[in-house]
């Protein structure tokens, strides 16, 4: 049987803040990659990951905005660098990208020459409306619990519905509209699932809005919220180079 509680917050790097840019997909993906290397003080570049995400969708190079797609596949094909090599910029973003034109700015060339961190094996996860709590799907809480209990995290893309107007300290659950149906989505967001509490039926999720919202930057989203709104995601199975480091034990309570 799986443990009642898995809390992988000790394995995570520091909470970050994407600020005005809509780069949650980059922050969640980089958070997952950092954790796959053992967390600690490792600080990888969201800006450089965003560059490759934009390229994967043939969008040139913009400040933010990609469609829902296989983010794990991009970081499997392209390695990334540390934050010091390619720091996150609020503005002016085109100065880094040169608007996608050639020649690439020095910073981008430097990043491409110093990018050793890469996914070598991952599992893409998608939603299946026809199943309920079964199968290898992002909307199956039981499967996600098994992944987390095995020592891995889950990048998840989900719809936002009815919780960004709160302080986010309470458990975030499905809210119903006047018609009795779940509220429609008001947008989308990508975060990293790092644990769960089975007695209380919620997942622990690392956000990228700084440390003020929720529980020092982490949110508690109910299992039902995942059943209703989770759309896609991925799990990192292996990375290169393989780094051996001492990390804190995962908290598991039966």
């Amino acid at each position: 049987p799986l443990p009642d509680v898995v809390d992988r917050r000790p394995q995570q790097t520091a909470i970050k803040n994407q600020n005005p840019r809509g780069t949650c997909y980059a922050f969640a993906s980089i958070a997952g990659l950092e954790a796959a290397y053992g967390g600690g003080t490792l600080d990888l570049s969201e800006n450089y990951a965003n560059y490759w995400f934009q390229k994967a969708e043939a969008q040139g190079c913009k400040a933010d905005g990609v469609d829902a797609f296989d983010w794990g596949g991009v970081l499997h094909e392209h390695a990334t660098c540390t934050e010091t090599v390619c720091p996150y910029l609020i503005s002016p973003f085109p100065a880094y990208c040169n608007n996608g034109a050639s020649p690439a700015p020095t910073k981008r060339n430097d990043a491409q020459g110093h990018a050793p961190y890469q996914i070598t094996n991952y599992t893409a996860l998608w939603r299946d409306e026809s199943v309920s709590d079964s199968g290898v799907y992002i909307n199956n809480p039981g499967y996600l619990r098994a992944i987390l209990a095995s020592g891995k995290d889950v990048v998840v893309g989900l719809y936002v519905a009815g919780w960004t107007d709160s302080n986010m300290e309470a458990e975030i659950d499905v809210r119903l509209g006047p018609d009795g149906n779940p509220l429609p989505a008001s947008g989308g967001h990508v975060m990293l699932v790092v644990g769960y509490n089975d007695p209380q039926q919620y997942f622990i999720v690392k956000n990228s809005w700084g440390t003020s919202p929720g529980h020092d930057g982490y949110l508690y989203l109910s299992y039902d919220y995942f059943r209703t709104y989770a759309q896609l995601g991925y799990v990192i199975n292996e990375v290169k180079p393989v780094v051996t480091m001492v990390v804190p034990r995962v908290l598991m309570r039966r």
Side-chain angles (χ1 to χ4, degrees):
L2 298 177
D4 287 342
V5 175
V6 169
D7 189 342
R8 289 181 43 75
R9 279 177 283 192
Q11 281 70 47
Q12 307 306 314
T13 53
I15 292 287
K16 301 181 184 180
N17 195 334
Q18 66 191 71
N19 286 298
R21 290 172 57 189
T23 48
C24 57
Y25 48 86
F27 274 80
S29 294
I30 288 298
L33 191 57
E34 290 170 345
Y37 283 101
T41 59
L42 182 63
D43 191 2
L44 300 181
S45 173
E46 290 82 13
N47 223 31
Y48 193 54
N50 181 65
Y51 166 73
W52 286 118
F53 291 147
Q54 298 286 345
K55 291 278 285 184
E57 292 197 350
Q59 297 196 48
C61 194
K62 303 186 302 181
D64 53 40
V66 295
D67 295 326
F69 75 116
D70 183 7
W71 303 295
V74 176
L75 296 182
H76 178 265
E77 184 176 353
H78 301 284
T80 193
C81 60
T82 61
E83 180 72 9
T84 54
V85 174
C86 182
Y88 190 69
L89 302 176
I90 305 304
S91 65
F93 186 75
Y96 164 70
C97 284
N98 197 18
N99 289 315
S102 296
T106 302
K107 267 291 186 186
R108 197 168 81 217
N109 281 336
D110 193 37
Q112 290 171 343
H114 298 84
Y117 300 94
Q118 189 171 11
I119 296 173
T120 55
N121 185 278
Y122 76 104
T123 302
L125 300 176
W126 307 95
R127 179 180 184 85
D128 192 330
E129 299 282 358
S130 68
V131 300
S132 177
D133 285 18
S134 65
V136 183
Y137 300 112
I138 197 70
N139 55 323
N140 176 8
Y143 177 65
L144 300 185
R145 286 173 55 221
I147 293 173
L148 292 159
S150 75
K152 300 174 184 176
D153 305 305
V154 183
V155 176
V156 61
L158 41 71
Y159 287 133
V160 174
W163 54 267
T164 54
D165 58 348
S166 71
N167 62 12
M168 305 175 207
E169 290 183 2
E171 179 183 327
I172 296 169
D173 202 355
V174 178
R175 291 168 58 178
L176 304 180
D179 58 359
N181 293 318
L183 290 176
S186 59
H189 194 37
V190 187
M191 297 182 285
L192 184 68
V193 191
V194 304
Y196 65 81
N197 185 311
D198 200 47
Q200 298 187 44
Q201 299 278 289
Y202 66 71
F203 288 106
I204 304 168
V205 184
K206 184 181 184 182
N207 201 5
S208 54
W209 295 346
T211 57
S212 294
H215 303 264
D216 297 322
Y218 289 87
L219 307 180
Y220 299 163
L221 272 66
S222 75
Y223 290 180
D224 278 343
Y225 196 94
F226 272 69
R227 292 184 181 104
T228 305
Y229 296 113
Q231 299 298 307
L232 75 166
Y234 68 95
V235 180
I236 298 174
N237 299 317
E238 296 176 359
V239 295
K240 70 174 184 181
V242 176
V243 178
T244 302
M245 60 181 66
V246 178
V247 298
R249 291 173 60 85
V250 178
L251 173 61
M252 294 187 179
R253 186 168 71 244
R254 295 187 183 276

